[in-house]
Amino acid sequence: MFLATFILNSKRVRMNQFYQSTKTYFKTINFRKIIKKIGFLFLGIVMLLLITSVVLSVYFKNHKAEIITQINAKINESISGTVGIRDINYKFLKGFPNMTLALSQVELKDSLWSFHKRTLLKAEQIEIRVNVLGLLSNEINIDKIEIQQATLHLFKGKNGIINTAIFKPQLKGAKSKSSTTSSINEIVLDQVHFISENQLGNKLFDFNILSLQSKIDFGDDDWHTKLYVKTLAKNMAFNTQRGSFIKDKIVEGILVVDFSKQKNQISVAAENLEIGKERFDINAHFSLDKKKSPFDIAITTTILWKDASALLSDNISRRINQFDLKKPINVGCTIIGDMSETGDPEIVVTTKIKNNELKIPDGIISDCSFEASFTNQYEKGAGCNDVNSTITLTNLSGKYKTIPFTIPIGIISNFEKTTAAGSFKSDFPVSRLNEIVNKDLMHFSDGQAKVNLDFKFDILDLKIQKPLFTGNVTVKNATVNYGPRNLTFVKTEIQLDFTEQALLIKKINFKDRRNTVFMEGKIDNFLTLYYENPEKMLINWDIYATFLDVKQFVGVFTSSGQKASKKQRKKDDFSGGLYSVIDKCQMVLNLKADKMTYNKFEATNAKATILLLNNKLIIKNGWVQSSGGIISFDGQLAPYGDNFLWESSAKINRVDISHFLTSWNNFGIQSFKPRNIKGFLTASASLKGTLLSGGQLKTNSLSGAAKFDVSQGALVNFEPITNIGKFAFPFRDVNDIVFKDLSGNFKINGDLVDVNDLKVSSSVLNLDVNGVYSYNRGTNLAMTIPLRDPKKDEFIINKIERAANRNKGIVLHLMAVDVDGKIKIKWNKNHE
């Protein structure tokens, strides 16, 4: 510690001694003399500079004509055309020790100017720096040129005419008349409008060069420069029909430019070149061959998607603007072409995306990763154009809403008639579908879904056309609520197989509150119809149910339901389209059920073909076993305002009449109960009516016709008969009347039933009834009752003879009429 302190103090002492000695020296006479000499030297240099400049100015004035002649000679020995220079002036002191000359209002035209009217160069001022020693030896050696406020216009017309054929070819071994051997070492452009117009190749490059500075280092045959440029790119169109790249963007940076005589090409490289607000690394090569002008440009950058789109031509940007990526992406682009040829150059763009957020027209894909490449020459030799353009996606993964998926490979081809093809895979809990399907339409819970599909479809205005999917979709143990009908299906299993011709629904199993249903189906041309003509979609279902509640089943189709709310529907919510397809499509259901019910009606071994067409439910070839007999039927259900119109024709063969009437609530008849009648009913009917929402029959809405026949029938404890029988037939068993014949024809119109030829032949009495029966008010039935004991005719086999004896003896003519809501029996004074 002591030693360190000692050394530090010693250094401070030496520094103070040096400072004091230096301060003393500055005050000495010797130092003052040196300062004077330096001052005189500097003054001499300034004076020499001024004198030299004056001498050069005087020399220029005295030799201006000779200098102009030399400049013209130098220009004219190299060009074939006309050069116009309004004046030449000397720039005092600028470029010393060389001479700087200012050429004002310069115009350079080729020999074909009268045909194309494009002036190659028009400049307000061009400054050239001339070597003084060469000038004194009668030579014009230019080592710097500065062009200010000029327009440089390169032109090639549709007929091949050009304005750049202005330089004469140099003969091998020929010497310049001016004997100049120098090269231009420095070029400066200030406010120069550069245009390269190639009408034959549909190319246009238009730049406002705000500033360009270049110092050139020459080798034996090659040269090198670092070029600073700042320019406004008004147009950079490799194909004017496609639009311009980097349109109206400022380009600024340093370009490293090399010329190789051996390769006869110029190479350009730049790091962090600013285009607009973005930075790019660029490597490019431009050939100087006479017959062809091939070039290649390689560009790399890290950029936001929307910022990259703003730099592209219209034909590309208007497509990719439909998409966006939230985070910057690394992009590589190569452009390969020929300036002398027509058409687009070959463009290849590659990128690799990791954990980004992709916006698509239908929503957002989160956690998105993929590799992508674009080329406008997918098939080599087929041209660089939209038809031959392709985007290839590999290993695309992400989540749509919360649904994960992968696309191992996807190809988007032909930007004029765009098609997309690839494969799609997903495995997710079914409940995640709630993120993309409106809950008022469907709500999912439980279960797992797997998707494995290959796809191919056309894209028109970013909409899917002519889709083709092959593969399968499976769902297991899902619970689904269908909102418009308030149906809940539990333990739902689905297996869908997509083929080129159809969608095969191999297995759908589900349960709701009472029904257990197994379904298989087929939909021809499913995807095309789904997207284009859902009203033409025909779904063929084979449905098997161990138990089916018909009222609930019919209620599905007669429920007024509610469509998914439109207020909360988002742009990426396709529930509206899905509901529309479900609502418009047509279905054919081939139904089989072991057991079915409708209210109290029960049946077994049910079969029917059910068509759902244009909002109608049509039943064909219905067949069930019920009440010990067989019932066959057809019918249809169609919307009518808030209700539904129902039509049906049915045939009933030997059903137990008591059980049958009980099943149908005795059809609303109050005058007798099903327990009052026994036997087997055979009937046919053609009826129509109105069903309310939920499947209930609207009261008094029935109309149509029916006829029936009861065999082995009996009327048991029927009060209206027993009340009369006590007095009229005291010796007959009116409590158990056995029918030999019970048949009739009815016409039904709301509350009223027209009874035609109701014939009753029984063990107690015979009865013929005609008239009107009303479920409510208005019953008016004429009854003809022979008092002859039917047992007397019991053994008459001949039907004609038995019918002739039917009305022998005393015959009662009565009326059953409605009196204050009750049925009263009266004499029929006006009987026939």
Side-chain angles (χ1 to χ4, degrees):
M1 182 68 180
F2 173 77
L3 181 61
T5 303
F6 176 78
I7 292 172
L8 182 61
N9 291 332
S10 297
K11 287 182 177 180
R12 288 176 178 173
V13 170
R14 287 197 296 271
M15 288 295 293
N16 289 332
Q17 290 175 349
F18 176 77
Y19 174 74
Q20 292 297 329
S21 62
T22 301
K23 185 176 179 181
T24 302
Y25 177 76
F26 284 164
K27 295 179 178 180
T28 63
I29 297 175
N30 289 334
F31 178 74
R32 293 176 180 175
K33 290 180 178 180
I34 293 172
I35 292 298
K36 285 183 179 180
K37 290 179 180 180
I38 293 174
F40 286 131
L41 178 62
F42 178 76
L43 182 60
I45 292 173
V46 172
M47 292 297 295
L48 178 62
L49 177 62
L50 291 174
I51 293 170
T52 303
S53 296
V54 170
V55 170
L56 289 175
S57 178
V58 172
Y59 177 83
F60 176 78
K61 288 181 179 179
N62 294 331
H63 297 82
K64 183 174 181 178
E66 297 175 12
I67 294 173
I68 292 175
T69 301
Q70 291 178 29
I71 291 175
N72 285 328
K74 182 168 182 62
I75 295 174
N76 288 323
E77 76 175 8
S78 303
I79 70 168
S80 58
T82 61
V83 178
I85 303 175
R86 182 173 181 179
D87 196 10
I88 300 178
N89 295 298
Y90 170 69
K91 288 285 187 177
F92 187 72
L93 291 179
K94 189 171 183 179
F96 184 85
N98 292 319
M99 177 184 290
T100 299
L101 304 178
L103 286 67
S104 61
Q105 297 186 9
V106 179
E107 283 193 3
L108 180 59
K109 300 178 181 178
D110 72 316
S111 59
L112 300 176
W113 184 89
S114 60
F115 294 97
H116 54 68
K117 305 294 184 182
R118 266 76 169 184
T119 301
L120 180 62
L121 176 65
K122 186 175 183 179
E124 285 295 315
Q125 181 170 283
I126 298 177
E127 294 183 2
I128 56 175
R129 190 169 64 194
V130 182
N131 183 276
V132 174
L133 295 179
L135 188 64
L136 295 176
S137 60
N138 201 32
E139 291 183 0
I140 294 293
N141 295 326
I142 302 172
D143 69 341
K144 178 182 178 182
I145 184 168
E146 181 175 343
I147 303 175
Q148 302 172 359
Q149 298 181 18
T151 298
L152 177 62
H153 193 157
L154 311 181
F155 174 77
K156 185 174 186 179
K158 293 182 179 179
N159 54 4
I161 191 172
I162 60 176
N163 74 338
T164 55
I166 196 169
F167 297 100
K168 295 178 180 178
Q170 183 77 28
L171 297 177
K172 207 167 185 180
K175 293 184 179 180
S176 171
K177 293 181 180 179
S178 64
S179 302
T180 182
T181 58
S182 66
S183 301
I184 299 176
N185 298 321
E186 186 175 354
I187 297 175
V188 176
L189 304 182
D190 183 15
Q191 302 295 326
V192 175
H193 187 190
F194 171 78
I195 304 171
S196 177
E197 181 183 4
N198 185 338
Q199 293 181 349
L200 184 63
N202 290 322
K203 294 176 174 60
L204 177 62
F205 301 92
D206 189 343
F207 294 89
N208 276 340
I209 301 173
L210 306 177
S211 177
L212 183 147
Q213 300 174 14
S214 171
K215 289 186 177 182
I216 305 172
D217 296 328
F218 289 93
D220 293 337
D221 294 316
D222 303 337
W223 54 262
H224 166 85
T225 183
K226 284 188 176 181
L227 183 151
Y228 167 78
V229 63
K230 182 177 182 181
T231 181
L232 171 64
K234 296 179 66 177
N235 211 314
M236 193 175 81
F238 295 97
N239 186 336
T240 54
Q241 296 176 350
R242 306 297 186 192
S244 170
F245 290 81
I246 64 173
K247 186 174 180 62
D248 297 326
K249 301 296 181 184
I250 292 290
V251 180
E252 184 176 9
I254 295 176
L255 306 177
V256 178
V257 184
D258 292 282
F259 167 73
S260 170
K261 184 175 181 180
Q262 181 181 0
K263 296 180 180 180
N264 196 26
Q265 74 174 17
I266 294 176
S267 301
V268 181
E271 293 184 0
N272 293 322
L273 180 69
E274 291 187 21
I275 302 178
K277 297 180 180 179
E278 311 306 321
R279 294 178 179 270
F280 298 82
D281 293 339
I282 297 176
N283 279 284
H285 303 89
F286 300 90
S287 175
L288 301 179
D289 290 345
K290 294 182 179 179
K291 294 183 179 180
K292 292 187 175 182
S293 303
F295 68 91
D296 63 85
I297 304 172
I299 306 169
T300 58
T301 186
T302 299
I303 192 171
L304 286 171
W305 179 281
K306 61 182 180 180
D307 294 334
S309 175
L311 301 177
L312 301 177
S313 58
D314 291 342
N315 67 313
I316 300 175
S317 62
R318 69 171 175 262
R319 291 182 174 90
I320 69 173
N321 279 341
Q322 304 295 328
F323 306 88
D324 195 13
L325 284 162
K326 186 175 182 179
K327 301 176 185 177
I329 56 176
N330 296 320
V331 181
C333 174
T334 60
I335 304 173
I336 301 173
D338 193 317
M339 290 293 186
S340 63
E341 293 183 356
T342 60
D344 294 345
E346 179 184 8
I347 301 174
V348 178
V349 182
T350 59
T351 185
K352 187 174 183 179
I353 309 300
K354 188 70 174 177
N355 296 328
N356 215 317
E357 183 179 278
L358 173 62
K359 180 183 177 182
I360 61 176
D362 290 329
I364 293 176
I365 298 175
S366 59
D367 300 332
C368 184
S369 300
F370 61 90
E371 296 179 12
S373 64
F374 163 82
T375 177
N376 63 346
Q377 189 179 208
Y378 182 71
E379 184 179 341
K380 297 297 182 182
C384 302
N385 48 59
D386 282 353
V387 174
N388 202 22
S389 294
T390 297
I391 296 175
T392 302
L393 305 173
T394 55
N395 299 320
L396 192 156
S397 63
K399 293 180 180 178
Y400 182 77
K401 300 292 186 177
T402 58
I403 298 177
F405 69 92
T406 60
I407 298 179
I409 181 118
I411 299 177
I412 303 172
S413 307
N414 191 341
F415 281 11
E416 287 190 1
K417 296 181 179 179
T418 307
T419 62
S423 57
F424 180 92
K425 301 179 184 295
S426 185
D427 189 344
F428 59 93
V430 175
S431 59
R432 293 190 178 182
L433 288 173
N434 295 326
E435 294 291 327
I436 62 174
V437 179
N438 192 296
K439 66 179 181 179
D440 294 332
L441 178 61
M442 288 185 182
H443 187 268
F444 303 86
S445 57
D446 305 325
Q448 191 75 11
K450 291 186 178 181
V451 181
N452 188 355
L453 295 173
D454 293 328
F455 61 85
K456 183 178 181 180
F457 49 80
D458 295 344
I459 301 175
L460 180 63
D461 296 329
L462 295 175
K463 294 181 180 179
I464 293 176
Q465 305 282 331
K466 298 179 181 178
L468 174 62
F469 285 77
T470 57
N472 56 74
V473 177
T474 59
V475 177
K476 293 185 177 180
N477 297 320
T479 299
V480 183
N481 177 264
Y482 181 54
R485 307 298 183 189
N486 193 27
L487 292 174
T488 299
F489 307 110
V490 298
K491 296 184 179 179
T492 302
E493 295 190 4
I494 301 173
Q495 181 177 332
L496 308 177
D497 282 1
F498 292 84
T499 69
E500 292 187 4
Q501 292 77 29
L503 168 61
L504 303 178
I505 307 164
K506 287 192 172 179
K507 181 175 66 174
I508 295 182
N509 304 339
F510 64 82
K511 295 181 179 180
D512 63 6
R513 286 169 290 184
R514 300 189 63 190
N515 304 308
T516 301
V517 180
F518 303 87
M519 303 174 63
E520 291 188 352
K522 179 181 179 182
I523 308 174
D524 291 320
N525 205 17
F526 166 69
L527 289 166
T528 298
L529 296 176
Y530 180 93
Y531 286 101
E532 297 179 10
N533 300 108
E535 65 277 359
K536 294 183 179 180
M537 185 185 297
L538 182 62
I539 307 175
N540 290 287
W541 289 107
D542 291 327
I543 302 176
Y544 166 70
T546 56
F547 176 83
L548 186 66
D549 185 340
V550 175
K551 181 179 178 181
Q552 184 179 347
F553 182 78
V554 173
V556 171
F557 303 99
T558 59
S559 172
S560 59
Q562 291 183 354
K563 293 187 179 182
S565 173
K566 293 184 179 180
K567 293 182 180 179
Q568 298 179 354
R569 188 170 299 158
K570 300 178 182 178
K571 181 180 179 182
D572 58 348
D573 183 358
F574 60 84
S575 303
L578 180 60
Y579 185 93
S580 177
V581 171
I582 294 173
D583 195 46
K584 292 179 180 179
C585 71
Q586 306 176 30
M587 297 187 190
V588 178
L589 288 69
N590 299 306
L591 175 66
K592 292 182 180 180
D594 292 340
K595 184 178 181 180
M596 59 181 289
T597 64
Y598 182 88
N599 288 333
K600 296 179 181 180
F601 176 78
E602 295 181 353
T604 58
N605 298 324
K607 298 178 182 179
T609 298
I610 302 173
L611 285 74
L612 302 178
L613 306 174
N614 300 322
N615 291 325
K616 287 185 179 181
L617 185 150
I618 301 172
I619 301 174
K620 293 185 176 181
N621 303 320
W623 190 93
V624 298
Q625 290 180 323
S626 178
S627 304
I630 295 173
I631 302 174
S632 59
F633 53 91
D634 297 303
Q636 75 173 31
L637 198 65
Y640 181 72
D642 294 332
N643 301 320
F644 288 80
L645 295 180
W646 163 71
E647 295 183 20
S648 177
S649 60
K651 292 182 179 180
I652 302 170
N653 186 24
R654 286 189 62 80
V655 299
D656 184 296
I657 189 170
S658 177
H659 188 275
F660 181 75
L661 292 175
T662 300
S663 299
W664 292 98
N665 289 324
N666 208 31
F667 294 100
I669 299 173
Q670 302 297 323
S671 57
F672 71 90
K673 303 299 181 183
R675 64 176 180 270
N676 298 132
I677 190 167
K678 295 180 180 179
F680 296 96
L681 173 66
T682 298
S684 63
S686 179
L687 303 171
K688 60 183 179 180
T690 302
L691 290 184
L692 303 175
S693 176
Q696 295 284 1
L697 180 64
K698 183 179 180 181
T699 305
N700 307 330
S701 67
L702 272 180
S703 64
K707 62 180 181 179
F708 75 95
D709 180 77
V710 177
S711 60
Q712 300 178 19
L715 197 60
V716 180
N717 296 323
F718 184 46
E719 224 175 280
I721 299 296
T722 57
N723 290 339
I724 297 173
K726 293 177 182 179
F727 304 101
F729 314 106
F731 303 107
R732 302 180 192 180
D733 186 3
V734 294
N735 294 319
D736 188 5
I737 303 174
V738 177
F739 297 110
K740 290 183 179 180
D741 185 14
L742 178 57
S743 61
N745 295 313
F746 301 124
K747 288 186 178 179
I748 304 170
N749 185 14
D751 288 341
L752 303 178
V753 178
D754 291 335
V755 180
N756 300 313
D757 300 325
L758 175 58
K759 186 178 290 293
V760 179
S761 300
S762 70
S763 59
V764 174
L765 78 164
N766 295 324
L767 178 68
D768 295 320
V769 180
N770 286 279
V772 176
Y773 174 81
S774 175
Y775 294 125
N776 291 317
R777 302 291 300 273
T779 297
N780 190 347
L781 293 173
M783 298 181 292
T784 301
I785 306 173
L787 298 182
R788 177 183 175 84
D789 190 348
K791 289 186 176 181
K792 293 180 180 182
D793 303 323
E794 186 176 10
F795 299 103
I796 299 176
I797 297 175
N798 188 294
K799 292 182 178 180
I800 296 176
E801 183 182 350
R802 189 167 63 243
N805 291 335
R806 179 182 178 88
N807 290 326
K808 286 184 177 180
I810 301 173
V811 177
L812 299 179
H813 297 281
L814 304 177
M815 293 289 295
V817 297
D818 181 3
V819 178
D820 298 329
K822 294 184 178 180
I823 302 298
K824 300 293 184 179
I825 305 298
K826 298 182 179 181
W827 292 106
N828 185 4
K829 298 179 180 179
N830 300 317
H831 67 85
E832 294 181 359

